[in-house]
Short mmCIF file of all heavy atoms in Angstrom, two decimals:
data_model
loop_
_atom_site.label_atom_id
_atom_site.label_comp_id
_atom_site.label_asym_id
_atom_site.label_seq_id
_atom_site.Cartn_x
_atom_site.Cartn_y
_atom_site.Cartn_z
N SER Y 1099 -2.75 -3.78 5.94
CA SER Y 1099 -4.08 -3.15 5.97
C SER Y 1099 -4.41 -2.24 4.71
O SER Y 1099 -5.46 -2.23 4.29
CB SER Y 1099 -4.36 -2.49 7.24
OG SER Y 1099 -3.56 -1.27 7.40
N ILE Y 1100 -3.49 -1.42 4.47
CA ILE Y 1100 -3.56 -0.57 3.16
C ILE Y 1100 -3.82 -1.34 1.96
O ILE Y 1100 -4.64 -1.19 1.09
CB ILE Y 1100 -2.35 0.45 3.05
CG1 ILE Y 1100 -2.38 1.34 4.15
CG2 ILE Y 1100 -2.42 0.99 1.72
CD1 ILE Y 1100 -1.09 2.28 4.25
N ARG Y 1101 -3.03 -2.47 1.83
CA ARG Y 1101 -3.11 -3.29 0.59
C ARG Y 1101 -4.39 -3.97 0.51
O ARG Y 1101 -5.00 -4.05 -0.50
CB ARG Y 1101 -2.00 -4.35 0.74
CG ARG Y 1101 -1.84 -5.31 -0.49
CD ARG Y 1101 -0.80 -6.33 -0.38
NE ARG Y 1101 0.53 -5.75 -0.07
CZ ARG Y 1101 1.17 -5.82 1.13
NH1 ARG Y 1101 0.59 -6.50 2.15
NH2 ARG Y 1101 2.37 -5.25 1.43
N ASN Y 1102 -4.89 -4.46 1.66
CA ASN Y 1102 -6.15 -5.29 1.69
C ASN Y 1102 -7.29 -4.35 1.36
O ASN Y 1102 -8.24 -4.58 0.60
CB ASN Y 1102 -6.30 -5.75 3.07
CG ASN Y 1102 -5.41 -6.98 3.28
OD1 ASN Y 1102 -4.86 -7.62 2.33
ND2 ASN Y 1102 -5.19 -7.40 4.45
N LYS Y 1103 -7.31 -3.07 1.88
CA LYS Y 1103 -8.38 -2.09 1.68
C LYS Y 1103 -8.49 -1.85 0.31
O LYS Y 1103 -9.50 -1.60 -0.32
CB LYS Y 1103 -8.28 -1.01 2.68
CG LYS Y 1103 -9.52 0.06 2.62
CD LYS Y 1103 -9.50 0.95 3.73
CE LYS Y 1103 -10.80 1.64 3.82
NZ LYS Y 1103 -10.89 2.64 4.91
N LEU Y 1104 -7.35 -1.44 -0.29
CA LEU Y 1104 -7.38 -0.89 -1.74
C LEU Y 1104 -7.77 -2.00 -2.65
O LEU Y 1104 -8.58 -1.83 -3.61
CB LEU Y 1104 -5.97 -0.51 -2.19
CG LEU Y 1104 -5.59 0.84 -1.49
CD1 LEU Y 1104 -3.92 1.07 -1.73
CD2 LEU Y 1104 -6.32 1.99 -2.11
N ALA Y 1105 -7.46 -3.27 -2.31
CA ALA Y 1105 -7.84 -4.40 -3.15
C ALA Y 1105 -9.36 -4.79 -3.01
O ALA Y 1105 -9.99 -4.87 -4.08
CB ALA Y 1105 -7.01 -5.63 -2.79
N ALA Y 1106 -9.81 -4.62 -1.82
CA ALA Y 1106 -11.12 -4.94 -1.53
C ALA Y 1106 -12.14 -3.75 -2.01
O ALA Y 1106 -13.14 -4.06 -2.67
CB ALA Y 1106 -11.39 -5.23 -0.05
N GLU Y 1107 -11.84 -2.59 -1.62
CA GLU Y 1107 -12.84 -1.52 -1.85
C GLU Y 1107 -12.64 -0.82 -3.32
O GLU Y 1107 -13.64 -0.32 -3.64
CB GLU Y 1107 -12.67 -0.37 -0.75
CG GLU Y 1107 -13.11 -1.01 0.62
CD GLU Y 1107 -13.17 0.07 1.56
OE1 GLU Y 1107 -13.18 1.30 1.31
OE2 GLU Y 1107 -13.27 -0.38 2.79
N MET Y 1108 -11.42 -0.91 -3.82
CA MET Y 1108 -11.32 -0.25 -5.13
C MET Y 1108 -11.25 -1.34 -6.33
O MET Y 1108 -11.34 -0.99 -7.40
CB MET Y 1108 -10.13 0.57 -5.17
CG MET Y 1108 -10.13 1.75 -4.26
SD MET Y 1108 -8.87 2.96 -4.65
CE MET Y 1108 -9.16 3.43 -6.33
N GLY Y 1109 -11.19 -2.61 -6.03
CA GLY Y 1109 -11.11 -3.45 -6.90
C GLY Y 1109 -9.74 -3.58 -7.65
O GLY Y 1109 -9.50 -3.91 -8.88
N ALA Y 1110 -8.70 -3.11 -6.90
CA ALA Y 1110 -7.29 -3.08 -7.49
C ALA Y 1110 -6.86 -4.50 -7.78
O ALA Y 1110 -7.13 -5.41 -6.91
CB ALA Y 1110 -6.40 -2.39 -6.50
N VAL Y 1111 -6.27 -4.64 -8.86
CA VAL Y 1111 -5.81 -6.02 -9.42
C VAL Y 1111 -4.31 -6.31 -8.89
O VAL Y 1111 -3.94 -7.39 -8.79
CB VAL Y 1111 -5.87 -6.19 -10.93
CG1 VAL Y 1111 -7.42 -6.18 -11.27
CG2 VAL Y 1111 -5.12 -5.07 -11.69
N HIS Y 1112 -3.71 -5.17 -8.53
CA HIS Y 1112 -2.33 -5.29 -8.06
C HIS Y 1112 -1.94 -4.05 -7.09
O HIS Y 1112 -2.30 -2.98 -7.54
CB HIS Y 1112 -1.29 -5.39 -9.22
CG HIS Y 1112 0.18 -5.48 -8.81
ND1 HIS Y 1112 0.72 -6.68 -8.50
CD2 HIS Y 1112 1.11 -4.46 -8.61
CE1 HIS Y 1112 2.06 -6.43 -8.08
NE2 HIS Y 1112 2.28 -5.11 -8.28
N VAL Y 1113 -1.45 -4.42 -5.97
CA VAL Y 1113 -1.16 -3.43 -5.05
C VAL Y 1113 0.18 -3.68 -4.39
O VAL Y 1113 0.38 -4.83 -3.86
CB VAL Y 1113 -2.22 -3.16 -3.92
CG1 VAL Y 1113 -1.90 -2.10 -2.86
CG2 VAL Y 1113 -3.71 -2.95 -4.50
N GLU Y 1114 1.10 -2.77 -4.40
CA GLU Y 1114 2.37 -2.89 -3.64
C GLU Y 1114 2.40 -1.77 -2.64
O GLU Y 1114 2.24 -0.67 -3.00
CB GLU Y 1114 3.57 -2.60 -4.66
CG GLU Y 1114 3.67 -3.85 -5.71
CD GLU Y 1114 4.82 -3.57 -6.64
OE1 GLU Y 1114 5.71 -2.72 -6.28
OE2 GLU Y 1114 4.77 -4.31 -7.66
N VAL Y 1115 2.70 -2.10 -1.46
CA VAL Y 1115 2.83 -1.07 -0.40
C VAL Y 1115 4.18 -1.32 0.38
O VAL Y 1115 4.42 -2.38 0.85
CB VAL Y 1115 1.63 -1.19 0.63
CG1 VAL Y 1115 1.66 -0.12 1.67
CG2 VAL Y 1115 0.26 -1.15 -0.02
N GLU Y 1116 4.81 -0.27 0.50
CA GLU Y 1116 6.20 -0.17 1.11
C GLU Y 1116 6.18 0.62 2.34
O GLU Y 1116 5.87 1.88 2.08
CB GLU Y 1116 7.30 0.09 0.02
CG GLU Y 1116 8.76 0.17 0.70
CD GLU Y 1116 9.70 0.66 -0.28
OE1 GLU Y 1116 9.36 0.78 -1.49
OE2 GLU Y 1116 10.86 0.93 0.25
N ASP Y 1117 6.46 0.33 3.41
CA ASP Y 1117 6.64 1.22 4.61
C ASP Y 1117 8.01 1.81 4.47
O ASP Y 1117 9.05 1.22 4.66
CB ASP Y 1117 6.57 0.39 5.86
CG ASP Y 1117 6.56 1.25 7.21
OD1 ASP Y 1117 6.97 2.51 7.20
OD2 ASP Y 1117 6.32 0.77 8.28
N THR Y 1118 7.99 3.13 4.16
CA THR Y 1118 9.33 3.85 3.90
C THR Y 1118 9.82 4.65 5.08
O THR Y 1118 10.75 5.25 5.03
CB THR Y 1118 9.15 4.79 2.89
OG1 THR Y 1118 7.99 5.76 3.07
CG2 THR Y 1118 8.87 4.07 1.41
N THR Y 1119 9.27 4.29 6.26
CA THR Y 1119 9.70 5.05 7.55
C THR Y 1119 10.89 4.17 7.92
O THR Y 1119 11.14 2.99 7.77
CB THR Y 1119 8.66 4.70 8.61
OG1 THR Y 1119 7.34 5.01 8.05
CG2 THR Y 1119 8.92 5.67 9.81
N THR Y 1120 12.00 5.05 8.38
CA THR Y 1120 13.29 4.39 8.63
C THR Y 1120 13.17 3.26 9.68
O THR Y 1120 13.82 2.21 9.53
CB THR Y 1120 14.30 5.39 9.24
OG1 THR Y 1120 13.61 6.61 9.66
CG2 THR Y 1120 15.31 5.76 8.15
N ASP Y 1121 12.38 3.55 10.70
CA ASP Y 1121 12.11 2.29 11.68
C ASP Y 1121 10.88 1.50 11.45
O ASP Y 1121 10.57 0.83 12.41
CB ASP Y 1121 12.23 2.99 13.15
CG ASP Y 1121 11.09 4.02 13.30
OD1 ASP Y 1121 10.30 4.29 12.47
OD2 ASP Y 1121 11.01 4.62 14.44
N HIS Y 1122 10.31 1.64 10.42
CA HIS Y 1122 9.09 0.97 10.04
C HIS Y 1122 8.00 1.07 11.03
O HIS Y 1122 7.42 0.18 11.52
CB HIS Y 1122 9.46 -0.54 9.68
CG HIS Y 1122 10.42 -0.83 8.67
ND1 HIS Y 1122 9.98 -0.68 7.33
CD2 HIS Y 1122 11.70 -1.22 8.54
CE1 HIS Y 1122 11.06 -0.86 6.47
NE2 HIS Y 1122 12.05 -1.06 7.27
N CYS Y 1123 7.84 2.38 11.46
CA CYS Y 1123 6.64 2.68 12.37
C CYS Y 1123 5.41 3.04 11.77
O CYS Y 1123 4.44 3.46 12.36
CB CYS Y 1123 7.14 3.66 13.35
SG CYS Y 1123 7.46 5.35 12.47
N SER Y 1124 5.24 2.69 10.54
CA SER Y 1124 3.98 2.84 9.66
C SER Y 1124 3.47 4.35 9.61
O SER Y 1124 2.26 4.48 9.84
CB SER Y 1124 3.05 1.99 10.31
OG SER Y 1124 3.38 0.61 10.15
N THR Y 1125 4.38 5.20 9.41
CA THR Y 1125 3.88 6.61 9.21
C THR Y 1125 4.20 7.12 7.93
O THR Y 1125 3.85 8.29 7.50
CB THR Y 1125 4.42 7.66 10.24
OG1 THR Y 1125 5.82 7.46 10.20
CG2 THR Y 1125 3.96 7.17 11.65
N SER Y 1126 4.86 6.33 7.11
CA SER Y 1126 5.27 6.90 5.66
C SER Y 1126 5.12 5.64 4.76
O SER Y 1126 5.80 4.57 5.08
CB SER Y 1126 6.69 7.36 5.71
OG SER Y 1126 7.08 7.78 4.43
N PHE Y 1127 4.40 5.79 3.60
CA PHE Y 1127 4.26 4.65 2.77
C PHE Y 1127 4.40 5.19 1.21
O PHE Y 1127 4.09 6.15 0.89
CB PHE Y 1127 2.75 4.05 2.87
CG PHE Y 1127 2.51 3.46 4.18
CD1 PHE Y 1127 1.92 4.13 5.22
CD2 PHE Y 1127 2.94 2.14 4.48
CE1 PHE Y 1127 1.64 3.53 6.44
CE2 PHE Y 1127 2.71 1.50 5.67
CZ PHE Y 1127 2.14 2.20 6.65
N LYS Y 1128 4.79 4.20 0.57
CA LYS Y 1128 4.95 4.39 -0.94
C LYS Y 1128 4.06 3.19 -1.56
O LYS Y 1128 4.31 2.01 -1.12
CB LYS Y 1128 6.32 4.18 -1.45
CG LYS Y 1128 6.59 4.40 -2.84
CD LYS Y 1128 8.07 4.18 -3.22
CE LYS Y 1128 8.33 4.36 -4.77
NZ LYS Y 1128 9.82 4.22 -4.93
N VAL Y 1129 3.12 3.63 -2.32
CA VAL Y 1129 2.18 2.66 -2.81
C VAL Y 1129 2.07 2.62 -4.38
O VAL Y 1129 2.03 3.65 -5.01
CB VAL Y 1129 0.77 3.01 -2.24
CG1 VAL Y 1129 -0.33 2.02 -2.70
CG2 VAL Y 1129 0.79 3.04 -0.74
N LEU Y 1130 1.88 1.39 -4.88
CA LEU Y 1130 1.59 1.29 -6.38
C LEU Y 1130 0.23 0.62 -6.46
O LEU Y 1130 0.04 -0.41 -5.93
CB LEU Y 1130 2.71 0.45 -7.10
CG LEU Y 1130 2.28 -0.12 -8.53
CD1 LEU Y 1130 2.36 1.06 -9.41
CD2 LEU Y 1130 3.34 -1.03 -8.88
N ILE Y 1131 -0.62 1.23 -7.14
CA ILE Y 1131 -2.08 0.63 -7.32
C ILE Y 1131 -2.24 0.44 -8.85
O ILE Y 1131 -2.24 1.47 -9.46
CB ILE Y 1131 -3.04 1.55 -6.69
CG1 ILE Y 1131 -2.77 1.97 -5.26
CG2 ILE Y 1131 -4.43 0.86 -6.79
CD1 ILE Y 1131 -2.70 3.30 -4.95
N VAL Y 1132 -2.74 -0.74 -9.19
CA VAL Y 1132 -3.20 -1.04 -10.43
C VAL Y 1132 -4.59 -1.41 -10.45
O VAL Y 1132 -5.03 -2.38 -9.77
CB VAL Y 1132 -2.31 -2.24 -11.12
CG1 VAL Y 1132 -2.85 -2.48 -12.57
CG2 VAL Y 1132 -0.95 -1.95 -11.14
N CYS Y 1133 -5.45 -0.55 -11.03
CA CYS Y 1133 -6.88 -0.68 -10.93
C CYS Y 1133 -7.62 -0.35 -12.27
O CYS Y 1133 -7.34 0.70 -12.74
CB CYS Y 1133 -7.31 0.34 -9.91
SG CYS Y 1133 -9.19 0.14 -9.45
N PRO Y 1134 -8.40 -1.24 -12.74
CA PRO Y 1134 -9.31 -0.97 -13.88
C PRO Y 1134 -10.18 0.37 -13.72
O PRO Y 1134 -10.50 1.04 -14.76
CB PRO Y 1134 -10.22 -2.13 -14.04
CG PRO Y 1134 -9.63 -3.29 -13.19
CD PRO Y 1134 -8.83 -2.46 -12.13
#
């Protein structure tokens, strides 16, 4: 959902999103955003 929103609303050309929570409970994220 984070990846889709950044791509759609910011026009990001590349988005990487990693759930860094130990149990992958979606409370900690590491994100790379490439955007003009």
